Amino acid sequence: WPGLLQVQSVGSPLSDGVRDRIERLLKVRIYENYGLSEVGIVASRCPYGQYHWHPEHCYVEVLNNDDELCASGEIGRVVITVLSNLVMPLIRYETDDRVLAEDSCDCGMTLPVLGKIIGRHSALEQIDPKALEAANILRRALEKLPLKFEKSLLQYQIHQHMESGFELRLVLTNTLTTDFEGYIQSVWSCSGFDQDVLKISQVEDIPRVVNH
């Protein structure tokens, strides 16, 4: 990619594995912001991986279920007071987002730290924590594949059926090999679920999901 200096990601936060893979393949750094359509840019990610929020624009609190500030290392909900919108003030606005609270960063910036973005609470609260961790085990393994498998993987999707367990859908450049399938099954053995609970399917395409 001659001439490409940097990449700006927009929308959902990238996982560490996806970010590392893109930066490794494109040989450029990815810049990420955290924002809301009703607020604008709230925070920017520094080279050390932390998000720093902008106090001239908003005031951010990370609160627990008792409405108290979270200590460093705790997961809490993001509550924002907007300081720069005089037309429609938002005071202690519940974003429904969850972050891992941090109180410092080694990057040297003096901007306050927001921490790692976890995601929308409403999208995660209905998921069994055991099932979520099993899916995360698969996701982390697929994002850090051995080189002999990495080049063949174009897309993947982890789907949990209501009654029949999990399905891992793969879009590959070639036919799924027994080595690749064996690697996935070995990773799945750490999930706490039986081997037959996971079905591995090679598909032609994975349609994008439209959020309403």
Side-chain angles (χ1 to χ4, degrees):
W1 300 92
L4 184 64
L5 300 179
Q6 67 182 52
V7 173
Q8 174 76 58
S9 70
V10 179
S12 299
L14 299 176
S15 66
D16 292 339
V18 169
R19 186 187 306 106
D20 291 344
R21 185 179 185 187
I22 294 173
E23 289 183 338
R24 185 173 68 254
L25 292 175
L26 297 183
K27 296 181 174 56
V28 294
R29 181 187 164 195
I30 294 178
Y31 289 83
E32 295 177 85
N33 295 318
Y34 166 67
L36 303 165
S37 57
E38 57 270 60
V39 176
I41 299 298
V42 174
S44 300
R45 188 172 181 269
C46 75
Y48 281 64
Q50 303 282 23
Y51 285 87
H52 297 261
W53 52 274
H54 306 293
E56 76 284 359
H57 170 56
C58 58
Y59 184 78
V60 179
E61 300 169 272
V62 180
L63 304 179
N64 60 24
N65 292 332
D66 295 323
D67 287 336
E68 298 173 340
L69 289 173
C70 288
S72 181
E74 293 181 342
I75 294 177
R77 68 188 203 275
V78 179
V79 176
I80 297 176
T81 297
V82 181
L83 305 176
S84 59
N85 188 341
L86 303 181
V87 177
M88 188 180 72
L90 295 174
I91 300 174
R92 306 200 80 187
Y93 177 66
E94 293 276 1
T95 65
D96 194 37
D97 286 339
R98 296 295 185 270
V99 301
L100 181 66
E102 297 286 355
D103 56 14
S104 63
C105 181
D106 295 330
C107 72
M109 286 190 195
T110 57
L111 295 175
V113 182
L114 181 57
K116 182 179 180 180
I117 310 297
I118 303 298
R120 285 290 166 92
H121 176 65
S122 57
L124 299 174
E125 64 177 342
Q126 302 299 326
I127 303 177
D128 181 350
K130 183 181 177 182
L132 183 61
E133 177 54 26
N136 283 333
I137 287 172
L138 274 181
R139 178 182 57 79
R140 288 191 292 267
L142 289 167
E143 290 174 353
K144 296 185 177 181
L145 283 172
L147 184 60
K148 62 179 179 179
F149 302 136
E150 182 183 46
K151 291 184 178 180
S152 66
L153 180 62
L154 297 178
Q155 291 178 287
Y156 72 88
Q157 182 183 67
I158 304 169
H159 183 83
Q160 184 182 13
H161 298 278
M162 291 297 292
E163 298 178 355
S164 56
F166 297 84
E167 181 181 3
L168 175 61
R169 299 164 182 166
L170 302 173
V171 179
L172 303 171
T173 59
N174 51 23
T175 302
L176 177 64
T177 64
T178 54
D179 284 350
F180 197 167
E181 189 167 359
Y183 171 78
I184 295 171
Q185 291 290 2
S186 68
V187 169
W188 183 252
S189 65
C190 302
S191 69
F193 289 91
D194 293 337
Q195 294 293 106
D196 58 1
V197 175
L198 176 66
K199 176 184 178 183
I200 303 173
S201 304
Q202 184 172 0
V203 298
E204 292 295 325
D205 183 49
I206 297 175
R208 292 186 178 274
V209 176
V210 179
N211 296 319
H212 298 285

